[in-house]
Amino acid sequence: LLSEGDASRLERRLVHDDRIAIAQSSYVGLFGDPFDVRDATLLTTQVHHPAAVTADRVIATVHEEVARIADEGVGDDELRRVQARAEAQLLRQADSVLGRTLAFASAELVHGRAELAGELPAVLAAVTPEQVQQAARGLDPPLGEPRPQPVPEVTETTLPNGLRVVVVPRPGVPLIEVRLRVPFAATGPAEAPLHTAQTAVLAGALLLGTERRDQTGIAQLLQGHGAELSVSSDPDRLVLGTMLLPEGL
């Protein structure tokens, strides 16, 4: 309801309407699956936002959306869409023999009932709007004092061709992460829907090949440096990203 898919509350508010973030996600638990723990666990919302947007503004917006659900509740149609998405995800995970086996094993180890893995779609489908509203009322506690976070030293330069390069060192694994952000925003709100579709098509076509190398040639070149290239888009830009070995830079 909050962050799964383009129709979710936070995706619409943060990324598409207010445009104060380029990506967001929310998840329950610390093990990848909310049902892999026995008791109440952590709900985490992660937001990537421009430096010009303060963290306080992002946090306040997230709290506003949670408060809206707590005060106004959620409509039957919206809840049915979310339940259908969640049910389909569970069934896709259980489509393979390995997926079902892992789900049964996890349910048996954590909850003592292997059959729970097969009951989860029906359990989620039985959730009512009133239960969602009640849960939202417990998700907005007062904020504590923010903890200071270490900020790495940033080096910035501009190449002769005008490309702005920002380097942020992060000690640890000897890999280099490269992200190329290409401005590609719509000219106005009226063009936004068509522009979003065009951006998605362009992002998918970028890895199909160039005049110098076909799709296989690009893949082979990247593989030689331990890299895989990905292309994504948001309302304002195209993003090409990869992680590679230092000698491949």
Side-chain angles (χ1 to χ4, degrees):
L1 183 70
L2 282 175
S3 70
E4 281 284 332
D6 290 338
S8 63
R9 299 278 184 115
L10 292 180
E11 184 75 14
R12 295 201 313 265
R13 177 74 185 277
L14 296 172
V15 180
H16 298 291
D17 294 342
D18 292 0
R19 294 197 170 193
I20 61 175
I22 59 174
Q24 62 76 36
S25 62
S26 295
Y27 47 92
V28 176
L30 301 173
F31 301 100
D33 190 318
F35 301 103
D36 282 349
V37 293
R38 292 187 179 88
D39 301 308
T41 186
L42 185 68
L43 170 63
T44 302
T45 295
Q46 181 175 325
V47 180
H48 296 270
H49 60 90
V53 178
T54 65
D56 288 341
R57 183 182 176 189
V58 173
I59 293 172
T61 304
V62 172
H63 278 247
E64 286 176 12
E65 288 302 311
V66 173
R68 281 184 55 205
I69 300 175
D71 295 339
E72 304 170 9
V74 57
D76 291 335
D77 290 342
E78 183 178 13
L79 180 57
R80 277 196 294 270
R81 291 198 305 269
V82 174
Q83 288 170 321
R85 181 186 180 95
E87 182 179 359
Q89 288 176 337
L90 288 172
L91 293 175
R92 280 194 293 268
Q93 293 171 5
D95 186 51
S96 67
V97 174
L98 177 60
R100 289 194 298 275
T101 303
L102 291 175
F104 288 139
S106 177
E108 178 64 30
L109 288 172
V110 177
H111 303 284
R113 294 182 62 245
E115 62 271 23
L116 178 63
E119 298 170 357
L120 286 178
V123 172
L124 292 175
V127 173
T128 65
E130 293 75 20
Q131 290 173 323
V132 174
Q133 184 177 23
Q134 186 63 35
R137 289 172 178 167
L139 286 182
D140 206 15
L143 291 177
E145 288 296 325
R147 297 182 179 179
Q149 298 295 325
V151 179
E153 182 180 352
V154 177
T155 304
E156 184 174 331
T157 186
T158 302
L159 300 182
N161 62 2
L163 181 65
R164 176 172 169 247
V165 179
V166 180
V167 179
V168 183
R170 188 180 66 179
V173 179
L175 287 174
I176 294 177
E177 181 176 2
V178 180
R179 295 184 187 180
L180 176 62
R181 301 180 184 274
V182 183
F184 198 67
T187 56
E191 293 79 17
L194 177 60
H195 180 78
T196 300
Q198 292 172 336
T199 304
V201 173
L202 178 58
L206 283 177
L207 300 182
L208 296 180
T210 66
E211 292 183 357
R212 295 179 56 189
R213 291 185 176 87
D214 59 13
Q215 186 176 18
T216 301
I218 293 175
Q220 290 174 340
L221 179 65
L222 292 170
Q223 188 179 48
H225 301 294
E228 292 184 4
L229 185 64
S230 63
V231 183
S232 60
S233 62
D234 61 48
D236 295 320
R237 61 186 64 83
L238 284 170
V239 181
L240 292 85
T242 187
M243 296 185 72
L244 69 160
L245 299 172
E247 56 268 24
L249 186 58

